[in-house]
Amino acid sequence: MRDDVIICRCEEVTAGEIREACRCGASSVDGVKRTTRAGKGLCQGRTCRCLVEGIVAAESGKALSEMEYPNTRPPVRIMKLSALAGEEEEQ
Amino acid sequence: MTYQTQVAIIGAGPAGLSAALEVAKQGGKVMVFDENDRAGGQLFKQIHKFFGSGHHGAGVRGIRLGQQLLEQCIQSGVEICLSTVVFGIFPGNELGIVKDGRSHTVKADKILIAAGAGEKPLAFPGWDLPGVMGAGAAQTMVNINRVRPGNRILTIGSGNVGLVVSYQLLQAGASVAGIVEGLPKINGYAVHANKLMRQGVPVYLSHTVIEARGDGQVEEAVIAEVGPGFVPIEGTEQTLSVDTICLAVGLTPSVELPRMAELAMVHLPKMGGYIPLHDSHMRSSNPDIYVAGDVAGIEEASTAMEEGKLAGVSMAEALGLVSAQRARELAGEIEERIGELRIGSHGDARRMAKEEIVRGYEAWLAKQK
């Protein structure tokens, strides 16, 4: 895959940037996420996770089965902070 | 506020609703949560008739199967909360939900995660142009929202999703410029492929898409023949004039909640990716959490319904709503029907993968002792 192809569409992170992160030591989807923001956007990596996984595996010479599923934290879906804070929804 | 229920089910698709009905039949209190504004999951997008045997709903359209299931659930007293997001799963069998703009807690004795699957992406130059979308997204647009995503479609992937969605786009008045398949043979059922071929839709076997081009939106797709290792062969490029590229390259289980619940998982490419380990009756590595349907390995709506029933029976048994002997009888009947669904060239691979998941669970269990 060409370096200029965007992998994370939400945060506009390219394949080249993910490979660079791997060369700098990122060895997991979470590592790439922390260094490049890939997977931190609106869809929270639901689209790009598989692609990032493939690139990290190829760069580190690991099999896909050796990759760990990235950490997930609440909220796993988009929600308004007002819902968590218990405030009335604005009309 | 805090809701209290015996069984909480995440996902009102075929697996979730089937499980809910099974528990409700035994007198259990069930709440089902779904982020969509209608129940039925993917079933409500399936305007085609199912096939197989009678007790699997053959000859009935998916949308009708969904409606039947929904009506039965409501009659049996299942509480279905739509437009309700489950944003987290927490220790002590608690779910965080957002309903009507407010967050609430749900405490349940047993939880079933039937969250389904998401579409796998395929990256190539230009795949981020408007007009490139998942085939499932195109199906939602055309069958649910009644919007045709484009006029000239190229579908990548000849599995059942790619074939069925392509045909439905034809029915909606679009033209299909072709189906592109990396393998040297069609991946889905012949009955679906033949319908397209009779309409003159070309199928490009051993081909892949290498680029989408256009000014601000897809205007053309470049495809090429692939050699060993799916590497495009130089000089075989063809440019097709299309405005929509549907990606149907597989589904992957939505395991965000299983991961948050720290369920033991296994990576099985045949079943779509990471799958929570579960026993033969759908119980995960957490004895209070069950999984069923696509989240437990990508299969079909018919198997999802049977797995849901199985999870329902085993939750009802664990809650003491049904005797161990009666549960065994019910589970035996369901397992027999599942067995019928997992035969043949497509079913055998799925059956073996499911057995691998159960073996993985047993190995995990043995290590805990």
Side-chain angles (χ1 to χ4, degrees):
Chain A
M1 195 184 309
R2 263 166 39 187
D3 268 349
D4 63 338
V5 174
I6 286 179
I7 297 298
C8 169
R9 298 183 299 187
C10 302
E11 294 288 323
E12 299 190 345
V13 183
T14 64
E17 288 168 313
I18 294 169
R19 291 194 180 109
E20 179 61 22
C22 293
R23 283 192 288 272
C24 292
S27 59
S28 64
V29 174
D30 277 331
V32 167
K33 187 177 180 178
R34 290 188 192 105
T35 43
T36 67
R37 293 196 59 81
K40 273 187 185 274
L42 203 60
C43 89
Q44 287 288 293
R46 273 203 293 282
T47 305
C48 69
R49 182 187 57 75
C50 299
L51 299 171
V52 174
E53 216 168 73
I55 296 175
V56 176
E59 288 295 309
S60 58
K62 280 189 206 167
L64 276 178
S65 57
E66 293 171 89
M67 303 283 299
E68 262 204 39
Y69 190 87
N71 198 12
T72 55
R73 285 182 298 186
V76 292
R77 285 293 189 269
I78 294 164
M79 59 186 286
K80 290 184 179 172
L81 282 173
S82 61
L84 268 186
E87 286 170 18
E88 290 295 332
E89 179 84 336
E90 273 180 53
Q91 294 300 312
Chain B
M1 67 174 282
T2 300
Y3 295 92
Q4 195 92 38
T5 184
Q6 282 178 298
V7 171
I9 297 179
I10 301 149
L17 291 181
S18 300
L21 185 58
E22 234 25 69
V23 177
K25 272 189 206 164
Q26 307 300 339
K29 178 175 162 51
V30 189
M31 292 180 86
V32 183
F33 307 98
D34 198 296
E35 61 188 328
N36 298 295
D37 59 6
R38 57 176 107 186
Q42 300 298 309
L43 272 180
F44 275 32
K45 287 161 51 176
Q46 312 306 327
I47 59 172
H48 62 283
K49 288 179 182 167
F50 280 43
F51 43 87
S53 56
H55 53 243
H56 294 126
V60 182
R61 296 182 196 280
I63 182 165
R64 186 72 202 112
L65 282 177
Q67 278 157 352
Q68 285 167 355
L69 204 46
L70 185 58
E71 282 159 20
Q72 288 171 322
C73 279
I74 291 166
Q75 280 161 12
S76 307
V78 173
E79 190 177 340
I80 300 175
C81 305
L82 299 174
S83 303
T84 302
V85 162
V86 176
F87 67 85
I89 184 164
F90 307 101
N93 297 353
E94 281 188 20
L95 300 178
I97 65 165
V98 178
K99 197 172 180 281
D100 303 323
R102 305 286 298 266
S103 68
H104 307 281
T105 302
V106 177
K107 287 189 178 196
D109 297 324
K110 301 288 172 191
I111 294 170
L112 170 67
I113 303 176
E119 294 192 90
K120 276 187 186 166
L122 182 70
F124 46 89
W127 82 294
D128 50 329
L129 279 171
V132 180
M133 65 183 76
Q139 195 182 31
T140 302
M141 284 176 79
V142 73
N143 289 355
I144 304 279
N145 302 317
R146 311 287 171 98
V147 173
R148 193 166 65 220
N151 292 316
R152 215 171 142 69
I153 319 283
L154 181 70
T155 301
I156 315 301
S158 72
N160 287 326
V161 173
L163 298 175
V164 166
V165 173
S166 298
Y167 189 71
Q168 291 172 356
L169 288 166
L170 268 185
Q171 289 178 309
S175 70
V176 178
I179 315 273
V180 173
E181 171 57 58
L183 297 170
K185 63 173 182 63
I186 289 173
N187 215 358
Y189 294 143
V191 61
H192 293 315
N194 291 343
K195 281 201 273 186
L196 285 160
M197 271 138 69
R198 282 199 293 272
Q199 299 291 323
V201 173
V203 179
Y204 298 93
L205 298 176
S206 300
H207 273 70
T208 191
V209 60
I210 54 174
E211 189 171 0
R213 292 183 188 145
D215 182 14
Q217 63 171 70
V218 174
E219 289 167 8
E220 52 189 33
V222 184
I223 63 169
E225 207 178 320
V226 292
F230 299 107
V231 180
I233 301 168
E234 223 172 296
T236 63
E237 296 86 358
Q238 289 181 62
T239 302
L240 304 174
S241 169
V242 296
D243 58 13
T244 306
I245 300 176
C246 290
L247 302 178
V249 294
L251 302 172
T252 186
S254 296
V255 291
E256 292 96 339
L257 291 171
R259 175 70 179 84
M260 197 181 294
E262 296 180 337
L263 303 185
M265 292 205 269
V266 61
H267 188 273
L268 278 183
K270 275 175 291 193
M271 297 302 262
Y274 297 91
I275 323 277
L277 294 176
H278 59 75
D279 70 9
S280 58
H281 291 173
M282 313 316 294
R283 191 162 73 166
S284 77
S285 59
N286 178 327
D288 289 332
I289 303 179
Y290 296 70
V291 291
D294 274 351
V295 81
I298 305 298
E299 290 194 85
E300 296 171 341
S302 38
T303 40
M305 287 187 268
E306 299 295 355
E307 278 194 349
K309 287 179 199 165
L310 202 49
V313 167
S314 57
M315 288 190 289
E317 185 194 354
L319 289 166
L321 299 168
V322 57
S323 72
Q325 195 199 329
R326 181 74 189 122
R328 250 198 318 278
E329 285 164 16
L330 290 169
E333 290 165 19
I334 299 166
E335 284 174 308
E336 203 169 300
R337 291 199 299 269
I338 293 186
E340 289 169 20
L341 291 167
R342 291 184 184 140
I343 50 169
S345 56
H346 291 85
D348 280 342
R350 290 190 275 116
R351 179 178 48 79
M352 285 189 280
K354 289 304 282 197
E355 286 166 1
E356 204 175 328
I357 295 170
V358 174
R359 275 200 306 276
Y361 171 84
E362 283 159 2
W364 170 87
L365 194 65
K367 259 194 271 173
Q368 310 305 307
K369 282 171 185 163

